Amino acid sequence: MKKNRGIAISSLVLRILTLAKLLSCIGLFVTDKITLGLDGDSKVTIFSFKDVIAYRYAVAIAAIGAVYTLLQLPFAIYYAIKGKRLNGCFPEFDFYGDKLISLLLATAVGAGFAISVEFKRNVDNLADDFLDKAIIATGVLLGGNCLHGCSFSTFIHQSKQQVEDCLD
């Protein structure tokens, strides 16, 4: 029982950290823009994450991952407190849902890094800060994907007894 409680608590902590990483990734992408100062105090945004499809994809997938993690959080809290799964009769949903979100996050990381590296190679110095921030945001998304993968692996290590409890 102590082992299950440790797994439950670690799963909860990993889900919370994943949510924090995904939300910070979204925040980094949304605030990433190139602005030019005009006369006086006025500034004009000439380029933002919305102008690059791969960055919009990364933000969308991070948002989907954050929503999924928010949906799973109450179940993880219940599991950490009670020691049994609230949605224990649906282990396939957890398994395949976690797997799907991990794969989507991985594709978003790949798209974000690929476009950033290509732009960095071919664009002048004006966009260097923009691309550096985009690379950092994609790295945070990679961290969220790794944490999500770790929380996914805690699901696999749950005891066989919990699945049998569902069947009874």
Side-chain angles (χ1 to χ4, degrees):
M1 184 68 176
K2 238 176 202 215
K3 181 180 176 184
N4 288 340
R5 185 151 178 94
I7 290 172
I9 291 172
S10 67
S11 177
L12 175 62
V13 168
L14 288 170
R15 288 209 188 266
I16 291 170
L17 291 174
T18 300
L19 181 63
K21 288 274 191 187
L22 294 177
L23 292 177
S24 63
C25 168
I26 293 169
L28 284 169
F29 268 122
V30 168
T31 60
D32 193 11
K33 59 184 102 181
I34 298 174
T35 57
L36 291 178
L38 298 177
D39 57 340
D41 293 333
S42 61
K43 291 185 178 182
V44 174
T45 300
I46 61 169
F47 200 72
S48 71
F49 83 97
K50 295 176 190 173
D51 297 319
V52 181
I53 292 174
Y55 294 154
R56 286 189 302 192
Y57 176 73
V59 170
I61 295 300
I64 290 169
V67 168
Y68 177 79
T69 304
L70 275 173
L71 289 174
Q72 289 292 325
L73 217 52
F75 299 116
I77 291 170
Y78 183 83
Y79 181 46
I81 292 171
K82 298 286 187 179
K84 60 181 182 175
R85 297 183 58 83
L86 181 64
N87 61 347
C89 296
F90 302 106
E92 294 88 7
F93 174 76
D94 287 343
F95 179 76
Y96 291 116
D98 284 347
K99 195 180 240 188
L100 176 68
I101 294 299
S102 279
L103 291 173
L104 287 173
L105 288 171
T107 61
V109 168
F113 276 137
I115 198 72
S116 296
V117 169
E118 284 299 313
F119 275 163
K120 200 133 174 86
R121 207 180 317 169
N122 297 316
V123 176
D124 62 354
N125 292 341
L126 179 65
D128 272 349
D129 289 340
F130 175 81
L131 294 174
D132 289 342
K133 197 171 179 184
I135 288 172
I136 290 169
T138 307
V140 171
L141 185 61
L142 175 63
N145 188 23
C146 291
L147 288 170
H148 189 271
C150 290
S151 69
F152 173 65
S153 68
T154 59
F155 172 80
I156 294 172
H157 288 96
Q158 290 176 3
S159 71
K160 184 180 175 185
Q161 181 63 37
Q162 290 168 340
V163 174
E164 290 174 359
D165 287 345
C166 176
L167 297 175
D168 290 338

